[in-house]
Amino acid sequence: MTRSVLVTGGNRGIGLATARAFAAQGDRVAVTHRGSGAPDGLFGVECDVTDSAAVDAAFAAVEAEQGPVEVLVSNAGATDDTLLLRMSEEQFTRTVDVNLTAAYRVSKRAAGKMLRARKGRIVLVSSVVALTGSVGQTNYAAAKAGLIGFGRSLARELGSRGITVNVVLPGFVTTDMTAALPEAHVATVKGQVALQRLASPEEVAAAVTFLASDAASYVTGAVLPVDGGLGMGH
Ligand code: NDP
C-alpha cells in the first residue's frame, strides 16, 4: 500500500537511505532539507526543525503534495561535542533543541492527522549513546535519551488509536557525522563493536522501514538498537 512518508533530514546520511528504502517500496516520500534541495525522485521541503513555523509550513507542503503524513521518521539531528566544563549553555540547549525538541515539534504536527485517521507510524532516530553515555556528548546523549521517554510516553498516548511510536538506536554509521571523527577514535569504536565494523546507512534504514511496516503492527514503545552489538546489556 502506498503511504505518505516524511523523513526529516532525509537529504543525506541515514535519512536519505531511509527515504530511498520507503520509495523503493512504492511509498510517496518527502524529505526535509536546509537548502541542499531534494535528492532525485523525492519530494523536498525546506525546513529547519528548530523552527516551529517552518515545521508547520513543511507539513502543509507535504500534505498538499502527497496527503497527510502516515509515516513520520524524526531523523534530523546534530552533534556539538565538547567536555562539560567547556560546554556553553547555548551549546547544550541548541543540541537538545535539534535532537529532542524537534521530535516534539514534528510528532505533534503529525499526530493530529494520524489520530483522525486512526492510524500512523512514528519512528524516532536516537543513538546508542542514549544508553551507554559518551565522553564529550553530555548534550547529545541527554537529548537522545530524552527521545526514549518522549517516544514511550507518546506510544501510550496514541496506542488506543492504532498509532505506533518506536525508537531506533543506531551505533556508528558511515555518514558525514562519523566522517568528522578522528581515525583513531573510529578504530577504538570498531574494536568495541561485536561485528567489528561500522554500519551502512541502509542497515539503519531497514530497521526503520520494518518498524513502519505491517509486520511491526504490534510493536510500539520499543527501543531497537542497530549497533552491531556495541551497546549490548544496555
Ligand atoms: P548527517 O550529519 O549525515 O545528517 C544530518 C541530517 O540532519 C541532515 O539531513 C541535516 O540537514 C539534518 N539536520 C541537522 N540539523 C538540522 C536542523 N536544524 N533542521 C533540519 N535538519 C537538520 O547525520 P546522520 O545521517 O549520521 O544522522 C541521522 C540521525 O541519526 C541523527 O539524528 C543522528 O543523531 C543519528 N545517529 C547517527 C549516527 C551515526 O553514526 N552517523 C549514530 C547514532 C545516531 P542538512 O543537510 O541541511 O544539514
Side-chain angles (χ1 to χ4, degrees):
M1 196 178 53
T2 294
R3 297 170 302 180
S4 171
V5 178
L6 173 62
V7 182
T8 66
N11 57 315
R12 59 191 173 101
I14 293 169
L16 177 57
T18 301
R20 292 225 183 281
F22 279 112
Q25 295 178 354
D27 290 318
R28 288 161 288 153
V29 185
V31 298
T32 69
H33 63 85
R34 289 184 300 169
S36 68
D40 278 354
L42 302 171
F43 178 68
V45 282
E46 198 163 338
C47 176
D48 185 325
V49 293
T50 64
D51 177 345
S52 298
V55 166
D56 188 44
F59 268 81
V62 172
E63 287 161 359
E65 174 70 16
Q66 60 185 39
V69 173
E70 297 165 286
V71 178
L72 170 68
V73 183
S74 179
N75 163 81
T79 52
D80 192 355
D81 300 353
T82 194
L83 297 172
L84 180 68
L85 292 188
R86 293 192 195 130
M87 188 178 289
S88 67
E89 185 163 335
E90 208 261 330
Q91 245 175 318
F92 190 89
T93 55
R94 190 160 21 95
T95 302
V96 170
D97 194 4
V98 66
N99 289 288
L100 175 59
T101 316
Y104 148 82
R105 286 185 194 99
V106 295
S107 298
K108 184 173 177 181
R109 183 59 178 76
K113 297 253 157 69
M114 289 181 179
L115 282 166
R116 244 163 280 146
R118 301 185 83 85
K119 66 175 180 195
R121 298 296 170 95
I122 298 176
V123 181
L124 308 175
V125 180
S126 173
S127 166
V128 66
V129 305
L131 301 183
T132 61
S134 174
V135 171
Q137 296 196 310
T138 51
N139 51 0
Y140 180 74
K144 292 302 195 184
L147 285 175
I148 297 175
F150 172 76
R152 286 184 160 162
S153 301
L154 192 58
R156 291 191 186 277
E157 287 191 18
L158 303 181
S160 65
R161 304 289 182 90
I163 301 162
T164 68
V165 184
N166 291 288
V167 183
V168 172
L169 308 185
F172 281 70
V173 187
T174 52
T175 67
D176 296 339
M177 191 175 272
T178 46
L181 297 172
E183 222 167 279
H185 181 59
V186 174
T188 307
V189 167
K190 276 188 197 164
Q192 294 164 352
V193 175
L195 294 177
Q196 298 278 299
R197 63 175 178 83
L198 271 57
S200 70
E202 289 72 23
E203 289 175 310
V204 180
V208 177
T209 52
F210 163 70
L211 290 169
S213 73
D214 287 346
S217 52
Y218 203 61
V219 181
T220 194
V223 174
L224 177 59
V226 186
D227 65 1
L230 176 60
M232 279 192 274
H234 292 280

